Amino acid sequence: MTTTGEDDTRALTGPWWWTRWRSAVLDGCLALVSAVECAAEGIPFARDAGIPLAAGVVFGVVAGSTLLLRRMWPIVVVLVSVAIAPAQMGFLLTVVGLYTLAASELPRRIIASLAGMSLLGTLVVTFVRAQQDMTHGELDMGDWFVPFISVTASLGVTAPPLLLGLYVGARRRLMESLRERADSLERELQLLAERAEERAEWARNEERTRIAREMHDVVAHRVSLMVVHAAALQAVARKDPEKAVKNAALVGDMGRQALTELREMLGVLRSGDGAGVARERAAVPLAAVRVAAAAAASRAADEGGGSADGPCLSELDELIGQSAAAGMVVDLSVEGEVRSYAPEVERTAYRVVQEALTNVHKHAAGAKTYVRLAHRVSEIAMQVENEPPSEVSSARLPSGGNGLVGMKERVSALGGVFVSGPTDAGGFRVSAVIPAS
């Protein structure tokens, strides 16, 4: 894991301004060598200047020791090297100082100015020294030799450390930039992974909600009718044996159909065999369960099958007939020109009416119910309203409180509007409007 900030924090283990002990030892060794060099070069300087030799040695030691400051104050090191250039001392100080200056983060104009000063100082000192040697007869060369040796010596002392420092500084900045980009990329990848996990969790929750809604649609309506028919069977068992037999057959058929549909849905979760059963159970996509639930729900709409896309509005008459067979008085009215809609629109409209009738069976058995369906230009509207129940039903139907929630979710998913609530007369009304496209 690349963490530039953490690496820099761990690296701050050296004394004073050094980040590492290794750097401190290196600078100490360079400063020691530079001090020895400058001290040795201070002896002839003291003789030429007519000062005590000890003063020249001390001056050289102090000047050479400034190399300790090269990492913190590289400008000071270069200025000292330029200042002692006339004394013909500080070769190592000049070379290392220029390298450190070029590799630093200082502005380029400052680096260029100090490098130019060092180049000019070396050029002048070399020129004067060569001219003196020519005058004293120590060198017997042509007039071209003095400027040639001056330019060559000044460039040889200044250019190589300067160019090397610029290269090392640029490489260091490139590595830091790459490191920062790696850190940024890693943070972005971690953020994307967290967001992907959140989206996956959200998708799993949404899929579970859809599965629960499909299973509710499959089971609730048939089981509610079974309970209503069972209550009617209990009431007419002695008075009307033929009707009791008919109701018992209806209850049996509905129970078998409900069990078949539940087995089909649960069979998806139980798929797999052998050693991989547990793993396959865990890996079964929730979408597969939802598809199976939707298929079973579509078969729940009628006795013998149904459309591949699920129930449709043309099956409302059969749905209302099932409720009428259970003793409910249902009045169906249709307004507008009947036409076909998208499968999801028809399926949602059918489910709204189905769940509303199921709620009437649960909470207002025996109440007269009005089902209104309106085909409009750009939408389809439906309303299921029941009157107050005339008597308390003996069929106790449990309610999980998910029917209205499921209807609202279905309608809202298609951009429609769903409203439900009690009426002033004591009944209950469920209304929904779904866009036609």
Side-chain angles (χ1 to χ4, degrees):
M1 180 175 178
T2 305
T3 51
T4 306
E6 294 180 4
D7 290 345
D8 292 343
T9 303
R10 289 195 299 268
L12 295 174
T13 57
W16 297 337
W17 56 81
W18 286 283
T19 57
R20 293 183 295 270
W21 275 99
R22 182 178 61 184
S23 302
V25 172
L26 175 62
D27 289 353
C29 293
L30 290 175
L32 179 61
V33 174
S34 177
V36 172
E37 177 203 350
C38 292
E41 294 169 344
I43 296 176
F45 168 71
R47 289 173 181 171
D48 295 339
I51 60 176
L53 296 179
V57 172
V58 171
F59 175 74
V61 170
V62 173
S65 299
T66 57
L67 202 55
L68 278 172
L69 308 175
R70 74 181 188 95
R71 295 181 188 269
M72 192 170 186
W73 295 301
I75 297 178
V76 174
V77 176
V78 175
L79 290 177
V80 171
S81 68
V82 173
I84 65 176
Q88 295 184 355
M89 62 174 63
F91 174 78
L92 181 63
L93 183 68
T94 301
V95 172
V96 177
L98 287 174
Y99 164 79
T100 307
L101 178 70
S104 66
E105 300 294 335
L106 292 172
R108 291 297 177 87
R109 63 179 183 275
I110 296 178
I111 296 175
S113 300
L114 292 175
M117 291 173 58
S118 178
L119 176 65
L120 182 61
T122 305
L123 178 65
V124 171
V125 170
T126 306
F127 184 86
V128 172
R129 182 67 176 178
Q131 189 67 37
Q132 291 175 351
D133 292 340
M134 290 284 291
T135 303
H136 295 159
E138 297 178 3
L139 293 174
D140 188 12
M141 303 292 292
D143 294 338
W144 60 270
F145 178 75
V146 174
F148 173 76
I149 192 66
S150 302
V151 173
T152 302
S154 59
L155 289 177
V157 172
T158 306
L162 187 67
L163 295 176
L164 181 62
L166 290 174
Y167 167 74
V168 172
R171 183 176 181 274
R172 182 184 304 155
R173 287 187 290 272
L174 176 61
M175 295 302 296
E176 291 177 356
S177 175
L178 293 177
R179 211 174 282 121
E180 290 177 357
R181 289 181 181 179
D183 292 342
S184 177
L185 180 60
E186 184 177 2
R187 287 191 294 268
E188 290 179 1
L189 290 176
Q190 185 176 2
L191 182 61
L192 289 175
E194 293 176 356
R195 290 181 177 176
E197 185 176 356
E198 292 176 358
R199 287 195 296 267
E201 182 64 26
W202 175 84
R204 285 193 293 268
N205 292 334
E206 287 295 313
E207 200 67 25
R208 291 190 186 99
T209 302
R210 285 194 292 267
I211 292 171
R213 188 164 57 238
E214 295 291 348
M215 294 185 70
H216 178 272
D217 292 336
V218 170
V219 176
H221 185 69
R222 290 196 183 278
V223 173
S224 298
L225 292 178
M226 287 171 58
V227 175
V228 172
H229 280 292
L233 176 61
Q234 183 180 4
V236 302
R238 295 181 179 179
K239 298 180 181 179
D240 192 348
E242 293 184 0
K243 188 175 182 180
V245 171
K246 182 179 179 181
N247 288 340
L250 288 174
V251 170
D253 291 340
M254 291 180 181
R256 282 188 293 271
Q257 293 167 3
L259 286 175
T260 300
E261 292 157 0
L262 285 176
R263 288 193 190 101
E264 291 177 356
M265 286 186 291
L266 297 178
V268 177
L269 296 175
R270 297 180 181 276
S271 62
D273 55 356
V277 171
R279 177 179 57 81
E280 291 182 3
R281 286 177 182 174
V284 170
L286 293 178
V289 181
R290 181 172 63 85
V291 171
S298 67
R299 285 190 293 273
D302 51 22
E303 297 287 336
S307 172
D309 294 323
C312 55
L313 292 177
S314 61
E315 301 172 5
L316 278 182
D317 291 334
E318 185 176 357
L319 176 67
I320 292 175
Q322 292 176 356
S323 296
M328 178 187 297
V329 179
V330 184
D331 181 19
L332 173 63
S333 62
V334 180
E335 301 176 2
E337 182 180 357
V338 178
R339 64 183 187 275
S340 60
Y341 300 91
E344 59 271 14
V345 174
E346 295 209 9
R347 183 169 57 249
T348 300
Y350 180 93
R351 293 301 186 199
V352 170
V353 177
Q354 181 189 50
E355 181 59 30
L357 293 177
T358 301
N359 287 341
V360 176
H361 284 296
K362 290 181 179 179
H363 308 291
K368 187 175 181 179
T369 305
Y370 302 91
V371 179
R372 299 182 179 90
L373 189 65
H375 298 274
R376 299 170 184 171
V377 177
S378 59
E379 62 187 15
I380 178 174
M382 65 226 63
Q383 177 178 292
V384 179
E385 180 180 347
N386 63 273
E387 297 178 352
S390 57
E391 59 183 8
V392 178
S393 174
S394 60
R396 299 179 180 179
L397 298 174
S399 176
N402 297 318
L404 296 176
V405 174
M407 284 190 283
K408 186 174 182 180
E409 290 176 350
R410 285 182 179 275
V411 174
S412 300
L414 298 179
V417 179
F418 178 84
V419 179
S420 63
T423 61
D424 296 336
F428 198 85
R429 181 187 297 117
V430 172
S431 302
V433 178
I434 305 174
S437 57

